């Protein structure tokens, strides 16, 4: 079969949404949809935009394929399972962000606009308009399969999307709850139903727990404060995170009678803080804490139940707990700091202050501080840092780091002389703040006579 030529603007893929699209192209598009379902379709992320190719190699935009598929589904007795199968296959092939917008608009058109009276947003801060059920709507006019698909799309926004997409989840579920409150209640009780029963609910002699993938929550209540209790809890947390269907941004709600928190001033006194403050006191559990941290750490993901100013990447409290145990956990801390979102995350500053206060300026703590200074915009020094650095041993450690600075940078960072210079200035700022500017003139001027030469070497 000979396909028509593509125009110059879209010479990397075929457009299928135009009224004059040829039957040959549409046939290839339908073949591509079938190939997505049976796993023989291919994609290529190496260039923009992402395209999907059928087994003939014919390329299409993934959102146009999805739109063509959905547009031909009956809205009466909507085939929810079939639609979910295609969406899951497409998501696995090209990623959630490639299909998110098209699915959101589909629910807006086929659920929101068909079943609701859509009002006007009263201010510029409300993301979604108020919606009330159409007065003339009859129960038999509402298709259950379509509502179940709406719930699926809502959950996907939380499970696979970025943290802010939970707002879309809330909006869509709010629509469904006005029509079928029992459907949303079931989601709140048991989630999507995809998690194994032993993950959804777990009850032992030592703790009670539940996990809900639809609302991205893990709830744990400790029945005692034994090592066995915390070992079981950590094992459960890891088991939850090993489930592909569980969201990467989530909340951990933990209850325990022992009110102990990590010795880091300014850290939010939430249950997840309490959990790792208690668990880390049992050295035998340190490997399990590390296992959780590595499963939890994901860039651009967040603990959902922390306020904006205290936002933290999942795994933060586990890393902080281990980091305060000493040098052996420095590699884990460095890995965590490299993943942190430097535009939004700031709790690491409080941890780094506590780390230096506890261990002082040694080569390993300075190595951690290098990564910390690069993890956020101009890490502020603690008040004590000037006095803690003002001794020969600490200054010698800093000079050792300066001589081997390449060892504390990632290979791609070390290749750039400008980046190396910025990284070094960021470290000095993290110790002395604004006094480190202009060659550290203020710092050198106020330095003790016997240490002045070392200060001059630091800033030379």
């Amino acid at each position: 079969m000979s396909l028509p030529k593509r125009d110059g603007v879209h010479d990397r893929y075929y457009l299928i949404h135009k009224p004059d699209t040829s039957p040959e192209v549409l046939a290839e598009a339908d073949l591509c949809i079938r190939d997505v379902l049976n796993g023989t379709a291919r994609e290529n992320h190496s260039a923009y935009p992402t395209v999907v190719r059928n087994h003939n190699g014919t390329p299409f935009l993934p959102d146009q394929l999805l739109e063509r598929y959905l547009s031909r589904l009956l809205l009466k007795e909507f085939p929810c399972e079939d639609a979910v199968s295609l969406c899951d296959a497409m998501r696995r092939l090209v990623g959630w962000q490639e299909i998110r917008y098209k699915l959101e608009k589909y629910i807006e058109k086929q659920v929101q606009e068909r079943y609701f009276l859509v009002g006007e947003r009263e201010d510029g801060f409300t993301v979604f308009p108020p919606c009330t059920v159409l007065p003339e709507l009859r129960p038999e006019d509402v298709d259950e399969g379509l509502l179940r698909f709406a719930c699926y799309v809502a959950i996907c926004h939380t499970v696979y999307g970025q943290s802010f997409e939970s707002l879309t989840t809330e909006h869509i579920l709010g629509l469904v709850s006005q029509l079928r409150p029992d459907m949303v209640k079931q989601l709140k009780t048991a989630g999507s139903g995809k998690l194994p029963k032993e993950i959804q609910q777990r009850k032992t002699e030592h703790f009670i727990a539940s996990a809900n993938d639809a609302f991205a929550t893990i709830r744990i209540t400790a029945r005692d404060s034994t090592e066995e209790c915390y070992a079981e809890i950590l094992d459960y947390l890891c088991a939850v995170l090993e489930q592909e269907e569980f969201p990467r941004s989530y909340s951990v709600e933990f209850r325990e009678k022992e009110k102990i928190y990590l010795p880091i001033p300014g850290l939010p006194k939430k249950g997840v803080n309490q959990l790792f403050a208690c668990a880390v006191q049992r050295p035998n559990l340190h490997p399990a804490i590390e296992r959780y941290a590595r499963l939890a750490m994901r860039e651009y993901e967040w603990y959902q139940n922390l306020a904006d100013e205290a936002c933290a990447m999942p795994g933060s409290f586990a890393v902080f707990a281990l980091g305060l145990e000493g040098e052996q956990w420095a590699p884990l801390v460095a890995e965590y700091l490299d993943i942190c979102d430097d535009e939004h995350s700031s709790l690491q500053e409080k941890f780094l202050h506590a780390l230096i206060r506890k261990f002082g300026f040694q080569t390993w703590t300075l190595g951690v501080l290098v990564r910390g200074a690069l993890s956020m915009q101009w890490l502020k020094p603690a008040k004590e840092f000037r006095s803690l650095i003002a001794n020969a041993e600490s200054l010698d450690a800093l000079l050792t780091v300066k001589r081997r600075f390449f060892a504390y940078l990632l290979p791609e960072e070390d290749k750039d002389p400008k980046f190396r210079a910025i990284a070094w200035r960021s470290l000095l700022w993290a110790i002395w703040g604004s006094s480190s500017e202009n060659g550290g003139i203020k710092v050198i001027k106020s330095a003790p006579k016997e240490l002045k030469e070392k200060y001059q070497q630091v800033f030379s």
Side-chain angles (χ1 to χ4, degrees):
M1 180 180 68
S2 178
L3 290 173
K5 293 183 178 180
R6 288 165 275 174
D7 60 75
V9 177
H10 303 295
D11 59 356
R12 291 190 53 251
Y13 51 86
Y14 285 96
L15 295 173
I16 59 177
H17 68 298
K18 292 184 175 182
D20 59 347
T21 302
S22 72
E24 292 87 352
V25 170
L26 293 178
E28 286 290 302
D30 292 337
L31 176 60
C32 195
I33 290 170
R34 290 197 294 274
D35 286 351
V36 169
L37 282 166
N38 63 31
T40 59
R42 295 292 177 263
E43 57 78 32
N44 182 8
H45 275 108
S46 63
Y48 179 83
T50 298
V51 296
V52 178
R53 297 177 184 272
N54 62 22
H55 65 260
N56 292 332
T58 314
F60 298 95
L61 295 172
D63 63 333
Q64 289 195 8
L65 292 173
L66 181 59
E67 181 179 32
R68 176 167 175 78
Y69 175 85
L70 293 174
S71 67
R72 295 188 293 174
L73 296 181
L74 296 175
L75 296 176
K76 189 70 173 177
E77 297 184 1
F78 183 87
C80 179
E81 294 303 318
D82 293 342
V84 167
S85 295
L86 186 279
C87 292
D88 277 346
M90 190 73 79
R91 173 186 56 77
R92 287 191 292 268
L93 184 64
V94 299
W96 167 248
Q97 292 303 322
E98 291 290 338
I99 63 174
R100 174 192 65 81
Y101 180 77
K102 192 62 65 178
L103 286 173
E104 187 176 338
K105 288 301 177 184
Y106 183 80
I107 299 303
E108 180 181 310
K109 179 181 179 181
Q110 304 299 355
V111 175
Q112 180 173 298
E113 294 179 4
R114 288 178 66 234
Y115 297 149
F116 293 87
L117 183 64
V118 181
E120 295 291 334
R121 292 189 301 166
E122 296 181 357
D123 55 54
F125 302 101
T126 307
V127 180
F128 297 99
C131 298
T132 54
V133 179
L134 290 169
E136 66 274 17
L137 188 69
R138 300 173 302 172
E140 58 267 28
D141 295 332
V142 179
D143 187 79
E144 180 175 333
L146 185 57
L147 291 188
R148 292 195 180 281
F149 184 66
C151 289
Y152 162 79
V153 173
I155 291 169
C156 282
H157 276 82
T158 292
V159 175
Y160 306 112
Q162 298 182 50
S163 56
F164 64 83
E165 291 183 44
S166 61
L167 295 174
T168 306
T169 299
E170 293 174 8
H171 174 68
I172 296 175
L173 292 181
L175 296 177
V176 177
S177 66
Q178 292 187 60
L179 300 167
R180 286 287 303 274
D182 59 311
M183 199 177 285
V184 176
K185 184 178 180 181
Q186 174 66 17
L187 283 174
K188 291 181 177 179
T189 302
S192 68
K194 293 183 179 180
L195 295 179
K197 296 293 184 183
E198 67 272 16
I199 298 296
Q200 288 183 30
Q201 303 281 340
R202 186 170 292 187
K203 184 177 181 180
T204 75
E205 176 188 347
H206 297 291
F207 79 105
I208 303 171
S210 64
N212 188 305
D213 57 342
F215 292 89
T217 57
I218 303 173
R219 294 185 174 91
I220 302 171
T221 299
R223 290 178 153 180
D224 57 61
S225 302
T226 62
E227 183 171 306
E228 292 78 9
C229 174
Y230 285 102
E232 289 185 5
I233 288 172
L234 290 168
D235 182 69
Y236 175 72
L237 280 172
C238 292
V240 173
L241 295 189
E242 285 172 339
Q243 303 300 312
E244 182 182 347
E245 303 298 335
F246 197 79
R248 309 320 304 182
S249 286
Y250 54 91
S251 61
V252 174
E253 299 174 10
F254 175 75
R255 290 183 176 84
E256 148 75 285
K257 293 179 180 178
E258 196 174 4
K259 300 297 181 183
I260 296 175
Y261 299 96
L262 293 171
I264 303 175
L267 226 56
K269 292 187 175 182
K270 292 284 189 175
V272 66
N273 181 340
Q274 182 186 4
L275 168 59
F276 290 103
C278 292
V280 80
Q281 295 182 5
R282 286 83 175 173
N284 290 335
L285 301 183
H286 289 182
I289 297 174
E290 179 188 15
R291 180 186 169 209
Y292 166 78
R294 293 192 181 281
L295 283 170
M297 293 188 302
R298 297 285 180 92
E299 189 175 16
Y300 308 125
E301 305 290 354
W302 309 97
Y303 280 123
Q304 298 282 47
N305 56 336
L306 297 181
D308 291 342
E309 63 274 10
C311 61
M313 181 172 69
S316 293
F317 297 90
V319 172
F320 296 167
L322 291 174
L324 292 180
E325 291 297 302
E327 182 177 1
Q328 72 181 102
W329 299 109
L332 174 65
V333 174
E335 182 179 334
Y336 166 85
L337 293 169
D338 288 342
I339 298 174
C340 274
D341 175 6
D342 61 359
E343 291 185 7
H344 300 100
S345 182
S346 61
L347 282 191
Q348 67 266 37
E349 182 177 85
K350 302 180 189 302
F351 160 74
L352 291 166
H353 289 177
L355 182 77
I356 300 298
R357 288 191 190 102
K358 182 172 183 178
F359 296 105
F361 288 99
Q362 305 179 45
T363 52
W364 75 269
T365 58
L366 283 162
V368 170
L369 195 60
V370 171
R371 304 315 307 170
L374 293 173
S375 76
M376 58 189 302
Q377 300 293 325
W378 298 107
L379 173 66
K380 296 178 182 177
K383 293 179 181 179
E384 303 95 322
F385 280 10
R386 290 192 181 208
S387 58
L388 288 173
I389 195 75
N391 59 81
E393 293 79 9
S394 297
L395 290 169
D396 284 341
L398 182 57
L399 288 170
T400 297
V401 170
K402 182 180 183 181
R403 285 192 293 271
R404 301 188 67 254
F405 199 54
F406 65 89
Y408 301 93
L409 300 177
L410 300 177
E412 60 270 24
E413 296 171 345
D414 187 53
K415 291 178 181 178
D416 186 348
K418 290 184 179 179
F419 187 92
R420 288 200 303 270
I422 292 172
W424 178 250
R425 288 203 305 272
S426 297
L427 176 61
L428 298 181
W429 179 283
I431 300 172
W432 286 286
S434 59
S435 296
S436 65
E437 294 181 333
N438 300 317
I441 294 175
K442 291 183 179 179
V443 177
I444 296 171
K445 187 176 181 180
S446 60
K449 184 178 180 180
E450 66 276 12
L451 297 175
K452 197 174 290 288
E453 184 178 347
K454 292 184 185 296
Y455 277 97
Q456 288 171 339
Q457 292 176 34
V458 166
F459 288 98
S460 63

